């Protein structure tokens, strides 16, 4: 496999199928190719990214190796509760990308209020909120002090009422592309 050679690795720990296609057969064929790579030892685990419930419902009954994770846009403005419950009920860990909503979540009044209550930063409140929901958070930063701040979230927990307050901030707002409505993305067709 060229990627392994380019990376100078013997195997890849986790390989994600990044975007679902509206063509469910294409999704299945792509996923089966990843399963084959697991069987050949090139990949240890497979996950998906941006899969909604309907994508997973058309994939899971036909796979031999379940995805270990579904990496999705998830933040205080987009709680994704039904999708998270669906993934959990199918033994998939949810990974949140964009947890800060491109910075918008850091200035939400409820987040600021909780940051003051817990004597933490808004970013730390958001990361802790995700951890307390059993969701993996992958916040982005290139600044050392912010990266260090993002790790300093294990000395407190949010109360359930505070988690519910953040869940109630849900606006169904996406700041990244919608997996079901992606302008400019071609749909792959099988011959």
């Amino acid at each position: 496999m060229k990627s392994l050679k380019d990376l100078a690795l013997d195997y890849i720990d986790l390989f994600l199928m990044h975007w679902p296609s509206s063509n469910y057969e294409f999704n299945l064929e792509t996923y089966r190719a990843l399963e084959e790579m697991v069987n050949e030892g090139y990949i240890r685990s497979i996950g998906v990214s941006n899969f909604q419930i309907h994508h997973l419902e058309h994939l899971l009954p036909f796979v031999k190796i379940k995805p270990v994770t579904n990496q999705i846009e998830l933040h205080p403005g987009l709680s994704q509760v039904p999708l998270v419950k669906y993934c959990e009920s199918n033994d998939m860990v949810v990974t949140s990308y964009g947890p800060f909503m491109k910075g918008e979540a850091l200035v939400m009044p409820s987040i600021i209020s909780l940051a003051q209550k817990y004597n933490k930063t808004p970013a730390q409140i958001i990361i802790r909120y995700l951890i307390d929901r059993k969701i993996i958070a992958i916040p982005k930063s290139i600044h050392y002090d912010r990266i260090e701040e993002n790790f300093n979230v294990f000395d407190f927990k949010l109360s359930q009422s505070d988690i519910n307050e953040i869940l109630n901030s849900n606006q169904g707002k996406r700041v990244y592309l919608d997996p079901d409505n992606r302008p400019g993305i071609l749909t792959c067709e099988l011959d």
Side-chain angles (χ1 to χ4, degrees):
M1 175 181 188
K2 184 179 181 328
S3 295
L4 288 176
K5 185 177 178 185
D6 290 347
L7 294 168
L9 296 172
D10 295 328
Y11 63 89
I12 294 172
D13 284 320
L14 174 63
F15 197 100
L16 299 180
M17 184 175 162
H18 190 253
W19 277 104
S21 168
S22 58
N23 180 327
Y24 295 129
E25 185 63 28
F26 179 80
N27 292 338
L28 184 56
E29 291 301 317
T30 302
Y31 197 86
R32 283 184 175 150
L34 295 176
E35 287 181 317
E36 189 174 315
M37 294 171 76
V38 169
N39 292 333
E40 293 173 5
Y42 296 121
I43 298 172
R44 294 275 170 98
S45 298
I46 309 168
V48 293
S49 185
N50 299 297
F51 275 56
Q52 302 301 299
I53 292 172
H54 66 94
H55 298 118
L56 293 166
E57 287 175 334
H58 285 91
L59 181 73
L60 294 180
F62 306 104
V63 301
K64 294 178 182 160
I65 303 169
K66 273 191 185 179
V68 296
T69 189
N70 187 11
Q71 179 180 290
I72 58 174
E73 179 180 354
L74 192 153
H75 45 67
L78 184 65
S79 63
Q80 302 261 33
V81 171
L83 180 54
V84 169
K85 285 182 180 177
Y86 183 87
C87 289
E88 288 173 346
S89 71
N90 284 282
D91 300 318
M92 281 182 276
V93 175
V94 173
T95 302
S96 162
Y97 70 81
F100 302 145
M101 293 177 64
K102 296 185 177 180
E104 291 180 44
L106 300 173
V107 295
M108 292 173 73
S110 61
I111 300 298
I112 291 171
S113 173
L114 290 171
Q116 292 168 347
K117 176 181 176 179
Y118 286 92
N119 196 28
K120 293 291 182 178
T121 67
Q124 290 170 321
I125 295 298
I126 294 165
I127 293 168
R128 188 71 233 184
Y129 154 75
L130 294 168
I131 291 170
D132 288 346
R133 285 184 65 196
K134 297 181 176 58
I135 294 168
I136 297 169
I138 50 173
K140 177 185 166 198
S141 183
I142 59 170
H143 303 284
Y144 178 79
D145 57 328
R146 289 187 191 150
I147 294 169
E148 188 174 45
E149 171 187 314
N150 291 345
F151 277 106
N152 190 16
V153 295
F154 297 103
D155 58 347
F156 76 106
K157 288 184 82 153
L158 297 176
S159 70
Q160 188 58 52
S161 63
D162 291 336
I163 293 169
N164 291 340
E165 181 180 342
I166 298 172
L167 284 170
N168 290 334
S169 300
N170 179 48
Q171 307 153 354
K173 180 180 181 177
R174 290 187 177 278
V175 293
Y176 297 95
L177 291 176
D178 182 341
D180 289 323
N181 185 18
R182 299 169 296 161
I185 305 285
L186 297 177
T187 300
C188 299
E189 299 295 329
L190 293 175
D191 293 329

